[in-house]
Amino acid sequence: MKNEPIISIKNLWKAFGKNKVLKGVNLAVNKGEGLVILGRSGSGKSVTIKCLVGLVEADKGEIKVFGTDITKLKNNVLNPIRMRIGFMFQNGALYDSMSVRQNLAFTLKHHTRDLSDEEIEKQIIEALENVGLKEAIDKMPAELSGGMRKRIGLARTLIIKPEIILYDEPTSGLDTITSREISELILSVQKKYKTTSIIITHDMDCAKKTGDRIMILKDGIIYAEGNYDELEKSTDEWVRSFFI
Ligand SMILES: Nc1ncnc2c1ncn2[C@@H]1O[C@H](COP(=O)(O)OP(=O)(O)OP(=O)(O)O)[C@@H](O)[C@H]1O
Ligand SMILES: [Mg+2]
């Protein structure tokens, strides 16, 4: 179907022991769209996107990605789908013992076998150019600032040319100006590669820039949904509290 959402989550439930985190989450993301998920710390934002890539197993519900329900898939069927999804982790650790070039090459080789050394180098440079950090190619992660690490993390996500990118707090721990630069980078990636994105953030400037739509998670469900302007004007005090 042409207009089928690229990501569709229906009635998603997840508990860890007695801790009921997700209690019927419903959301859909269309191709090329940027969806922002807001919510207090511990509300289940990270768990939701981990369910999307099968890093956390759902208790109940349907999770369709590219039209396929991934909840019942075995790893060998799930892996090719995962390959089409980029994940920028909250604590997006690079391998500390590898240079930037080696980190990117490692990811690329794992994703696409049989690339020539020339092709690998070309793609590493393209990914670094996309994040404006070509000069960092020979640096070790320990030599990078927080903002640079985030950019390299993004380059590593981009190098596999994902159709979907899931960003878990891409600007956390950064100063206002660096955060703004990362948000702009996310937006430029969305435009250049027409990726579909889910962006989890506490940074309202990032939400405003990167979100075509915003959803707020509360008590295990999507409590509110709309674009930035709509939610900012919400009559619900709790929703508005995010925008102050
Ligand atoms: N692997 C796990 N095992 C047990 N509990 C978990 C696990 N992962 C998450 N949780 C719990 O699920 C709840 C939601 O966690 P999650 O990481 O999704 O929160 P979050 O909304 O991303 O918060 P933050 O904004 O702080 O990142 C928390 O209570 C957390 O302790
Ligand atoms: Mg989180």
Side-chain angles (χ1 to χ4, degrees), residues 19 21-22 37-47 90 168-169 172 200-203 216-220 238 242:
N19 183 9
V21 179
L22 305 179
I37 303 181
L38 300 176
R40 294 279 155 82
S41 193
S43 57
K45 303 179 299 295
S46 295
V47 168
Q90 190 160 0
D168 200 348
E169 301 198 19
S172 65
I200 292 176
T201 189
H202 293 282
D203 168 358
I216 312 185
L217 199 54
K218 186 187 187 225
D219 301 329
W238 188 86
F242 282 85

Side-chain angles (χ1 to χ4, degrees), residues 13 18 60 79 102 165-166 170 172-173 183 200 223-224 230 237:
W13 288 71
K18 286 197 180 116
K60 198 169 99 180
N79 277 337
Q102 287 166 330
I165 304 185
L166 309 173
S172 65
S183 303
I200 292 176
Y223 180 80
E230 285 162 3
E237 234 173 87

Side-chain angles (χ1 to χ4, degrees), residues 11 73 123 238:
N11 196 27
L73 293 185
Q123 292 199 29
W238 188 86

Side-chain angles (χ1 to χ4, degrees), residues 117-140:
D117 289 349
E118 238 174 15
E119 186 57 31
I120 290 169
E121 184 73 6
K122 193 173 139 244
Q123 292 199 29
I124 290 172
I125 288 170
E126 185 190 332
L128 289 174
E129 273 172 351
N130 274 325
V131 301
L133 267 185
K134 208 175 95 184
E135 70 279 6
I137 192 161
D138 289 314
K139 291 217 183 313
M140 297 301 285

Side-chain angles (χ1 to χ4, degrees), residues 35-206:
L35 174 75
V36 163
I37 303 181
L38 300 176
R40 294 279 155 82
S41 193
S43 57
K45 303 179 299 295
S46 295
V47 168
T48 302
I49 60 169
K50 283 178 182 166
C51 286
L52 251 179
V53 282
L55 285 172
V56 165
E57 200 181 326
D59 294 335
K60 198 169 99 180
E62 180 191 271
I63 304 174
K64 276 191 172 174
V65 187
F66 308 117
T68 305
D69 186 353
I70 59 131
T71 53
K72 290 163 199 83
L73 293 185
K74 296 247 164 15
N75 263 333
N76 60 336
V77 194
L78 183 57
N79 277 337
I81 295 176
R82 274 196 188 128
M83 295 281 194
R84 299 164 67 188
I85 306 174
F87 201 133
M88 198 171 149
F89 285 98
Q90 190 160 0
N91 307 311
L94 300 165
Y95 299 104
D96 280 327
S97 60
M98 296 185 196
S99 70
V100 166
R101 178 192 274 109
Q102 287 166 330
N103 263 285
L104 285 139
F106 183 84
T107 302
L108 185 57
K109 283 183 196 163
H110 178 73
H111 184 268
T112 317
R113 306 208 181 273
D114 302 327
L115 287 174
S116 68
D117 289 349
E118 238 174 15
E119 186 57 31
I120 290 169
E121 184 73 6
K122 193 173 139 244
Q123 292 199 29
I124 290 172
I125 288 170
E126 185 190 332
L128 289 174
E129 273 172 351
N130 274 325
V131 301
L133 267 185
K134 208 175 95 184
E135 70 279 6
I137 192 161
D138 289 314
K139 291 217 183 313
M140 297 301 285
E143 299 174 81
L144 305 173
S145 68
M148 288 165 94
R149 275 170 173 263
K150 293 268 191 197
R151 282 171 189 259
I152 301 297
L154 181 56
R156 193 175 59 176
T157 307
L158 287 178
I159 204 163
I160 64 162
K161 305 236 164 33
E163 290 156 74
I164 296 173
I165 304 185
L166 309 173
Y167 297 92
D168 200 348
E169 301 198 19
T171 65
S172 65
L174 303 177
D175 65 77
T176 316
I177 293 168
T178 312
S179 294
R180 211 175 287 156
E181 285 170 3
I182 297 282
S183 303
E184 270 153 20
L185 211 50
I186 292 172
L187 193 61
S188 75
V189 165
Q190 257 164 230
K191 286 199 179 129
K192 183 170 175 187
Y193 294 106
K194 304 206 168 35
T195 42
T196 306
S197 320
I198 296 183
I199 305 109
I200 292 176
T201 189
H202 293 282
D203 168 358
M204 295 310 288
D205 177 71
C206 177

